Amino acid sequence: GYERFLGPEVFFNPEILGDAGKGSAGSYFKPLPEVVDDSILSCPVDTRRKLYKNIVLSGGTTMFKDFGRRVQRDVKRLVDGRQSANAAS
C-alpha cells in the first residue's frame, strides 16, 4: 500500500511525523535536500559547483525507487530559487 511511499517521504517532508519529528528546540527536522544544500553552502565558494555535481548517496534508504532523482530535483529547486531571488534583487 501507500506505506511503501510514505517511508522515504519522511526524508523530504519530516513534518508528517507529527510530534515525533520535533527536535529538542521544538522545530521540525530539516528535509534532506535542505541539509545537503546547507552543507554545500558552508563550503568555500570555489568548490560549490563541483559539490553540487557530485552528491553521493549511501546506505540502504537510498535504494528506494527514485530516491536519488528526488534528492537531485529538490536540491536543484532550492538552488534555482535562490539564484532567481538573487537575480531579482
Side-chain angles (χ1 to χ4, degrees):
Y2 78 97
E3 292 87 2
R4 284 182 39 205
F5 304 101
L6 189 60
E9 189 62 27
V10 170
F11 290 100
F12 303 98
N13 296 303
E15 61 273 3
I16 64 176
L17 288 175
D19 289 336
K22 291 188 177 183
S24 59
S27 61
Y28 289 103
F29 295 131
K30 284 186 175 183
L32 179 62
E34 285 184 28
V35 173
V36 171
D37 187 45
D38 290 348
S39 298
I40 293 174
L41 287 175
S42 69
C43 295
V45 175
D46 60 329
T47 63
R48 291 179 188 170
R49 184 178 301 263
K50 287 183 181 179
L51 292 173
Y52 278 117
K53 290 182 178 182
N54 292 294
I55 297 171
V56 176
L57 301 174
S58 175
T61 307
T62 63
M63 299 301 289
F64 283 112
K65 182 176 170 51
D66 296 327
F67 190 87
R69 187 176 302 149
R70 174 88 183 268
V71 171
Q72 182 180 16
R73 183 193 72 190
D74 289 359
V75 170
K76 184 173 179 3
R77 283 183 181 169
L78 289 170
V79 173
D80 290 347
R82 187 172 46 252
Q83 286 178 342
S84 64
N86 288 343
S89 57

